[in-house]
Amino acid sequence: MMEAGKEIETRKEQAPVTRETIRNRPVYLPPVDIVENNDAIILLADMPGVDEGNIDIVLEKDVLTINGTVEPEYHENYRMAYAEYGTGDFRRSFTVTDAIDHDRIEATMKNGVLKLVLPKGERARPKKISVTTV
Amino acid sequence: MWLSGLRGFDWMPDLWSEIDRMQQETGRLLSGAGAASYQNFPAINLWMNEHDMIVTAEVPGIDPSDMDISVEGEMLIFNGSRHPENAGDGAKFHRQERPQGGFRRKIRLPYRADSGKVEARYDKGVLSIRLPRLEEDKPRKISIKSE
């Protein structure tokens, strides 16, 4: 029955294989929203099934990688009768500019959504220059 | 001879799973899946045994109070909505890939569920609904009396 589940195409997008993983599991690209306000860039990623403890956020030079592992869905004494989505890990990388204050990045996880707040460095913040009359 | 006859029954479940698979395939062809369509949001998986079923759906970022689940005989209906994140002053979207707004899904279950005993749980963005089978709908074992 597990095979039947695998054959169903899911709407989740599989991550392109750049490096092979140790675990033989599908890896999906989490859909993201990226919003910028005056102080920070906020990244929201849908990663259902990922626990706070199973998420890795790595910033290496200018590449920010988010990686979440999911426990495979399995119910003892049940057989899978119908499948529309597959379960697997999530991974996605982004290039961040040095306009981001690398030391103050904050991450929170709630209801399967990762929220990353990337504060802008002093340099990148909009400055208002007031004009004085002479 | 008798033994091999019994063994013949073994392939029966496989035949059923084959039929299940074909039904799924046809359903997929008809729904035009593959192309992203929010009509089928959220995607569901269904697990079952003789006594009950488990329907799971990935619905991240939704407040459980914004979700509504109802069961009517063999129809399971659930709807809800996802609100956009309030990003503060001067917010500008660079990317918007996560679906927003309301959704509604109606699913025909393989058998009638006992609506009084349905349990739903929401954890880490995954909704799972346990639907016990209606007692009078369960398969009965018929004993053969010998005279």
Side-chain angles (χ1 to χ4, degrees), chain A residues 36-121:
Chain A
E36 182 176 348
N37 64 22
N38 291 339
D39 308 312
I41 289 173
I42 299 161
L43 185 147
L44 297 158
D46 279 350
M47 299 165 97
V50 177
D51 197 83
E52 298 101 271
N54 289 336
I55 190 151
D56 263 336
I57 301 155
V58 182
L59 180 67
E60 199 183 335
K61 285 179 187 159
D62 59 346
V63 180
L64 176 81
T65 304
I66 52 179
N67 199 343
T69 51
V70 177
E71 283 308 309
E73 190 186 352
Y74 180 71
H75 303 278
E76 189 121 6
N77 299 326
Y78 287 86
R79 66 183 181 91
M80 186 173 234
Y82 178 68
E84 286 179 351
Y85 69 88
T87 45
D89 297 342
F90 291 100
R91 185 176 324 111
R92 200 160 170 179
S93 299
F94 299 91
T95 313
V96 291
T97 62
D98 49 358
I100 298 295
D101 189 339
H102 288 198
D103 301 324
R104 290 195 295 130
I105 296 174
E106 274 174 47
T108 47
M109 191 84 192
K110 193 190 169 193
N111 290 342
V113 180
L114 170 74
K115 182 180 180 180
L116 272 178
V117 179
L118 312 156
K120 289 182 190 172

Side-chain angles (χ1 to χ4, degrees), chain B residues 92-126:
Chain B
K92 189 175 81 183
F93 269 96
H94 291 299
R95 280 178 195 239
Q96 202 163 10
E97 299 168 354
R98 300 162 65 238
Q100 299 289 354
F103 61 85
R104 179 183 163 87
R105 265 212 92 167
K106 205 168 170 182
I107 300 143
R108 185 180 289 277
L109 301 168
Y111 41 70
R112 286 191 294 158
D114 189 342
S115 55
K117 289 184 189 159
V118 175
E119 289 165 29
R121 219 159 52 94
Y122 183 67
D123 183 36
K124 294 179 280 195
V126 181

Side-chain angles (χ1 to χ4, degrees), chain B residues 3-4 44 49 63 67 70-71 90 98 103 108 113-114 120 129 136:
Chain B
L3 260 177
S4 68
I44 61 143
N49 64 21
D63 202 294
M67 243 179 317
S70 63
V71 180
R98 300 162 65 238
F103 61 85
R108 185 180 289 277
D114 189 342
I129 310 166
E136 64 226 49

Side-chain angles (χ1 to χ4, degrees), chain B residues 11-50:
Chain B
W11 57 266
M12 283 300 281
D14 287 328
L15 177 69
W16 283 117
S17 66
E18 190 65 10
I19 290 170
D20 281 348
R21 194 184 61 80
M22 271 153 58
Q23 274 180 344
Q24 285 169 23
E25 295 271 32
T26 334
R28 187 157 61 93
L29 284 173
L30 293 175
S31 71
S37 118
Y38 293 131
Q39 240 174 4
N40 278 343
F41 181 86
I44 61 143
N45 279 353
L46 194 145
W47 299 72
M48 64 186 276
N49 64 21
E50 270 171 47

